[in-house]
Amino acid sequence: MPMTAPTVLTARALLLDMDGTLVNSDAVVERVWRRWADRHGLDGDEVMKVVHGRQGYASMAVLLPSRPMEQNYADNAWMLAEETADMDGVVAVPGAGEFLASLAGLPHALVTSADVGLSSARMAAAGLALPDVRVTAESVGASKPDPEGFLKGAAELGVAPEECVVFEDSGAGISAGRAAGMRVVGVGPRAGFHRPDVLVRDLTQVRVEGVDGGGIRLYVG
């Protein structure tokens, strides 16, 4: 097999999605959303094509477009409670622990569609440390694919959007990163369908080093 050189990216900050990127929570997401699909007479496979990366209420608005948004918000609160209580099968994406450890002292933030409770529980279940800077569902008025979360993460770190690199697994998240004017590293098989700037199997394929002047160099692939 021929050796291929990794892609090298430079940045001043990294913005990290959680589910599918740092944490594999697919098992619980499947359980909870397929139950929801059954209750509403929807095809579970079609529902699963929509829900990754978005806040729950935003997924429901796509799936049930004529339903009042108040019902989506109410359902979303119930779903968050159910997901937070179910950590069975939640594990770290390969390489996530080492990747996060390599970011110590470098500007980075978690930008997730989960709320504080769910993100804290899933990161703990996966044995991963939470970044100091976090943008969660409570921090934004619009769900991915809106770029608000990534733009807020960049602002909190004091870095221009074009100097950030996003790590994402979902179509909604990749679209949000692009809309924010950021480069996107896609993580895992879902990401490959949405044309990120670079695609990796998991985080074992990413190496990070700090450079003089506060920059970050990424070796990807």
Side-chain angles (χ1 to χ4, degrees):
M1 291 290 290
M3 297 291 290
T4 56
T7 299
V8 180
L9 302 175
T10 57
R12 297 195 69 82
L14 307 184
L15 302 177
L16 317 174
D17 175 53
M18 182 183 70
D19 291 302
T21 302
L22 298 173
V23 173
N24 182 343
S25 56
D26 283 0
V28 61
V29 172
E30 288 265 348
R31 285 194 293 273
V32 170
W33 277 101
R34 285 185 182 276
R35 284 197 296 266
W36 183 88
D38 288 344
R39 286 196 297 272
H40 294 280
L42 299 175
D43 181 88
D45 291 339
E46 294 304 310
V47 167
M48 295 313 302
K49 293 176 183 177
V50 171
V51 300
H52 292 289
R54 291 180 171 89
Q55 291 192 44
Y57 74 84
S59 296
M60 293 170 195
V62 173
L63 294 161
L64 297 172
S66 62
R67 191 167 82 151
M69 189 58 75
E70 290 76 12
Q71 286 182 252
N72 295 336
Y73 287 129
D75 255 13
N76 187 53
W78 178 84
M79 294 275 281
L80 282 170
E82 189 173 20
E83 288 184 275
T84 304
D86 185 355
M87 292 295 130
D88 188 22
V90 174
V91 296
V93 166
E98 295 83 356
F99 174 65
L100 286 171
S102 75
L103 297 182
L106 300 174
H108 65 286
L110 186 73
V111 181
T112 176
S113 294
D115 65 3
V116 169
L118 182 57
S119 58
S120 299
R122 281 188 176 161
M123 290 289 279
L128 300 175
L130 280 163
D132 292 336
V133 178
R134 300 183 287 277
V135 178
T136 62
E138 297 93 337
S139 310
V140 297
S143 171
K144 299 172 186 176
D146 192 281
E148 181 185 0
F150 287 125
L151 292 172
K152 283 201 167 185
E156 290 236 3
L157 295 169
V159 175
E162 64 271 19
E163 295 184 307
C164 296
V165 170
V166 165
F167 283 74
E168 265 285 359
D169 74 300
S170 71
I174 291 168
S175 294
R178 280 210 197 94
M182 302 171 181
R183 291 155 295 160
V184 181
V185 175
V187 180
R190 271 194 299 270
F193 294 105
H194 305 285
R195 299 186 199 175
D197 295 288
V198 190
L199 179 66
V200 295
R201 178 185 63 251
D202 55 44
L203 294 170
T204 65
Q205 294 187 294
V206 181
R207 184 165 64 84
V208 180
E209 63 180 30
V211 298
D212 292 343
I216 299 169
R217 186 175 290 120
L218 296 167
Y219 299 89
V220 184

